[in-house]
Amino acid sequence: MITQNVPTVEEYSVRPVIMPFAHPLEDRIHDVIRMRAELKKKETEAHKNEQIQKANDSETFINKKPYTPATLEKRRKLTDLFRVHGHTKTESWYAKECLLTTITTARYLSKLQVGVDITQPFIKRGKKRIVDNETLNKIVREKMKLNPLTTLRKVAHEMTNAGHSIGKSSVHKILTERNSDTHKFPLFSFKRITVRPSAGNSEENKLQRIHFVEKLFQYQRDGAIPFFIDETSWNISCIRKYGWSEKGDKVLVPPPPLFQSITAITSISMNGMEYTEVVRGTINHDLFEAYLKRFLLSIKSFESSVIVMDNASIHHVNTDDIIYQSGHKVLFNAAYSPDLNPIENIFGIWKAKVEENSLKWEDESHFISTMLQTF
């Protein structure tokens, strides 16, 4: 007889029972895992349905009847059948006999009913262009180069009178958009006019600009810090010419106070604005020389610097001696080359910020404080 060790009731009662501890975080993790599994299952089913739909669409496209153009023979056949049967036959019957679509057949039948001959070849309407697109682009650009102040409407009118039918919008596209016809030509843009004498772009001035840039770069390679000095003036009576208002209403603002002009002598460096002084009226040599001495005192901590200025007459009287005695160098910009001086860009930003508060000016001191705050 085989006996088994069966635990008694007492043994069951003393045996510890370990129950799993349900932690809220674990329940949340299990919920997230279950939700992800359900989401993945739904995505799989959606992808499968999408593939089935694509297969059905491709099968429908394959079984679709090919396009049958309405050739001259088919139109002649349709004309002969219509003369024989007239309205006794349906559009579907005519389409089946002539191998045409129902829509095309209905269009031709409507023309036959009013006596239109559909057997004649179709003639493309519109005026034939005299020149190709490349020649047209070249002509428009040459007109703009000869007179950059002309308008798009005037160019379109001149082209139309010359036999080239073209509108104002087409001229704008030719000048400003890049496409297969204009990729060989430079693009044009509508920008602010820069007034410059014809001598400003002479070969001598171009060489002077090259020498100026080379000297400036050489000073920087030698460790000199460039400082740019120039003057700018404000007419306090001037405000912005354009403003915003509701459609149909004028932009009405009170007249600005009448003051004399204000001039600021300013210097900048690679670190931004450095030193400025505000003067009533215009600048003469004595005022500029006094400003230059105070400016050199403000940068005496710099051992080697180069002072860059334009060719104004007040910049050429004793300025070289004052700068060289302070241990710095001087470099004059090329003639008619304000674009090479970055301080011109700073003046534009500065004036725009000041003019934003033009309606708040109460007196001259308020205007000057606005200048200094925005400096």
Side-chain angles (χ1 to χ4, degrees):
M1 180 176 180
I2 301 174
T3 59
Q4 296 181 353
N5 295 327
V6 180
T8 61
V9 178
E10 291 78 4
E11 292 178 352
Y12 271 116
S13 61
V14 299
R15 180 176 296 175
V17 180
I18 302 176
M19 297 294 293
F21 179 72
H23 196 278
L25 182 60
E26 294 181 357
D27 294 341
R28 187 174 298 176
I29 293 175
H30 290 308
D31 292 340
V32 172
I33 294 174
R34 185 176 65 257
M35 292 174 61
R36 287 183 176 178
E38 293 176 356
L39 182 61
K40 186 175 182 181
K41 184 178 179 181
K42 291 181 181 179
E43 291 178 352
T44 304
E45 292 178 356
H47 181 69
K48 187 183 297 183
N49 295 333
E50 185 180 354
Q51 296 297 327
I52 294 173
Q53 184 65 31
K54 287 183 178 180
N56 294 335
D57 295 342
S58 62
E59 185 178 356
T60 303
F61 178 76
I62 293 174
N63 296 331
K64 188 177 179 180
K65 293 182 179 180
Y67 170 71
T68 55
T71 59
L72 180 60
E73 291 77 9
K74 294 180 181 180
R75 284 179 282 150
R76 287 176 177 174
K77 184 177 181 180
L78 179 61
T79 303
D80 296 338
L81 291 175
F82 183 77
R83 289 175 181 174
V84 176
H85 300 284
H87 298 283
T88 60
K89 299 296 182 180
T90 61
E91 295 177 355
S92 301
W93 184 85
Y94 282 114
K96 184 177 181 181
E97 292 294 328
C98 298
L99 299 179
L100 294 172
T101 61
T102 306
I103 298 176
T104 304
T105 305
R107 186 172 70 252
Y108 284 130
L109 288 176
S110 63
K111 293 181 178 181
L112 291 173
Q113 291 174 3
V114 295
V116 178
D117 186 6
I118 62 173
T119 59
Q120 296 296 328
F122 295 107
I123 301 175
K124 292 184 178 180
R125 301 298 179 185
K127 188 175 181 180
K128 187 177 180 181
R129 181 170 290 178
I130 301 177
V131 297
D132 55 355
N133 292 335
E134 184 175 352
T135 305
L136 188 64
N137 292 327
K138 188 176 180 180
I139 294 174
V140 171
R141 280 169 169 77
E142 287 178 352
K143 287 184 174 295
M144 281 298 180
K145 288 181 179 179
L146 291 175
N147 185 10
L149 301 182
T150 188
T151 61
L152 300 179
R153 190 182 302 276
K154 186 176 181 180
V155 172
H157 182 69
E158 292 177 356
M159 297 290 292
T160 303
N161 292 337
H164 313 298
S165 180
I166 188 173
K168 184 183 73 171
S169 60
S170 299
V171 175
H172 183 268
K173 289 182 180 179
I174 289 174
L175 295 174
T176 60
E177 295 184 6
R178 179 70 70 192
N179 52 49
S180 58
D181 296 326
T182 60
H183 70 280
K184 298 180 181 179
F185 304 97
L187 295 180
F188 281 59
S189 61
F190 190 71
K191 56 181 71 68
R192 188 173 182 178
I193 298 172
T194 301
V195 180
R196 182 176 295 174
S198 58
N201 286 329
S202 63
E203 294 299 328
E204 182 180 359
N205 283 336
K206 291 180 180 179
L207 292 176
Q208 289 180 2
R209 292 168 189 157
I210 296 174
H211 294 330
F212 167 76
V213 174
E214 290 177 348
K215 288 182 179 179
L216 181 60
F217 285 170
Q218 184 61 44
Y219 283 136
Q220 289 181 298
R221 284 192 293 267
D222 295 339
I225 301 175
F227 289 89
F228 301 88
I229 298 178
D230 203 355
E231 303 84 26
T232 184
S233 60
W234 276 275
N235 186 352
I236 309 179
S237 300
C238 294
I239 60 176
R240 288 193 169 189
K241 303 301 182 183
Y242 296 90
W244 291 92
S245 68
E246 295 183 1
K247 285 189 175 182
D249 296 339
K250 294 183 178 180
V251 183
L252 299 178
V253 296
L258 300 177
F259 305 128
Q260 61 180 351
S261 61
I262 302 294
T263 305
I265 316 176
T266 309
S267 61
I268 66 170
S269 67
M270 298 302 178
N271 297 324
M273 309 289 273
E274 291 291 342
Y275 183 75
T276 187
E277 288 184 3
V278 178
V279 179
R280 294 181 179 85
T282 58
I283 299 295
N284 54 29
H285 169 260
D286 296 332
L287 293 175
F288 180 77
E289 184 176 345
Y291 166 83
L292 185 61
K293 292 179 180 179
R294 287 189 288 268
F295 165 71
L296 293 175
L297 289 176
S298 66
I299 63 170
K300 63 180 181 180
S301 58
F302 297 94
E303 297 180 356
S304 177
S305 301
V306 54
I307 311 301
V308 182
M309 297 179 291
D310 58 19
N311 287 281
S313 58
I314 60 175
H315 296 166
H316 286 274
V317 182
N318 298 331
T319 54
D320 296 1
D321 298 335
I322 297 174
I323 293 174
Y324 285 129
Q325 289 176 3
S326 301
H328 304 288
K329 303 178 182 64
V330 62
L331 179 62
F332 291 100
N333 193 2
Y336 304 107
S337 305
D339 300 336
L340 298 180
N341 195 339
I343 199 171
E344 301 294 341
N345 300 328
I346 300 297
F347 286 158
I349 299 173
W350 189 13
K351 287 186 175 182
K353 289 183 177 181
V354 174
E355 290 175 357
E356 288 178 359
N357 302 317
S358 59
L359 298 181
K360 301 179 182 179
W361 299 339
E362 298 177 356
D363 50 21
E364 186 175 337
S365 59
H366 189 194
F367 171 75
I368 295 176
S369 64
T370 303
M371 290 177 56
L372 299 178
Q373 290 173 4
T374 56
F375 177 68

